[in-house]
Amino acid sequence: ELQLEQSGAEVTKPGESLRISCKGSGYNFSNYWITWVRQMPGKGLEWMGKTDPSDSYTNYSPSFQGRVTISSDKSSSTAYLEWSSLKASDTAIYYCARLNQALVHAVDYWGQGTLVTVSS
Amino acid sequence: DIQVTQSPSSLSASVGDKVTITCRASQVISTYMNWYQQKPGRAPKLLIYGAYRLQSGVPARFSGSGSGTDFILTISSLQPEDFAVYYCQQSFSALTFGGGTKVEIK
């Protein structure tokens, strides 16, 4: 069964660093881009960026460029989303998802989401 | 960047109603428009890709149309399980989501 398994919920303080993960299984992880999507409390979906696990190439939304780091490790079939200095406004659910080029780059599988809470 | 404007932001409808949701892209995107459904506490689910192609397993009461800049998601006969938030997304250049449409029970 194809799955994207995300790491568990995090509670952190402003200024701290954090990395969350997304492990793919049930398919060839290198063959599909992984994208990250933010959903702030009670709000809509925001595209953050994407990574190609085959060569680690990464592309960011201008809104998130410089604020987060997206990476992937094809050897462990895992993608990552990382912050160096969190803010309270980073509190949100973060989804990883698989982009399917055969479906005109639609997202066909999603992780369960990781809730990140940033509070002093 | 390509912007996507979705309307309405919310609507109230009854079971059996026909529902339409529209999205407009800020530039021509051919048929690179996708539609998702999200229920509370759940990840989004792909309904339509490539403007009109029904994702496997999605009921046929969902359909999509449009090309260029204007796109429509239609639910032909609303069912109780269809009350949710719907998002469009362009995938022509990077990705952009519309603001969402909440479909509520009248």
Side-chain angles (χ1 to χ4, degrees), chain A residues 11-118:
Chain A
V11 179
T12 64
K13 296 184 185 319
E16 291 187 342
S17 62
L18 177 68
R19 187 176 77 167
I20 62 175
S21 65
C22 168
K23 183 173 175 61
S25 61
Y27 74 101
N28 189 331
F29 189 74
S30 294
N31 287 356
Y32 297 84
W33 291 64
I34 291 291
T35 191
W36 288 91
V37 175
R38 182 175 79 174
Q39 188 164 40
M40 299 177 74
K43 301 299 184 182
L45 305 173
E46 300 174 89
W47 179 67
M48 301 178 72
K50 60 183 180 180
T51 183
D52 181 350
S54 68
D55 62 6
S56 297
Y57 174 79
T58 303
N59 177 236
Y60 294 92
S61 161
S63 299
F64 292 92
Q65 178 84 48
R67 285 281 301 127
V68 298
T69 300
I70 293 171
S71 61
S72 57
D73 176 6
K74 63 183 179 183
S75 68
S76 62
S77 299
T78 303
Y80 301 95
L81 176 64
E82 186 171 8
W83 296 261
S84 59
S85 181
L86 284 157
K87 302 178 180 180
S89 56
D90 292 316
T91 294
I93 296 173
Y94 293 88
Y95 292 102
C96 69
R98 188 181 85 159
L99 284 173
N100 193 328
Q101 295 91 321
L103 306 184
V104 295
H105 300 276
V107 174
D108 60 352
Y109 285 92
W110 297 72
Q112 80 276 24
T114 296
L115 174 62
V116 173
T117 303
V118 184

Side-chain angles (χ1 to χ4, degrees), chain B residues 13-19 75-80 82-83:
Chain B
S14 301
V15 172
D17 284 352
K18 178 180 178 180
V19 169
I75 309 172
S76 60
S77 178
L78 200 64
Q79 297 302 299
D82 300 336
F83 292 95

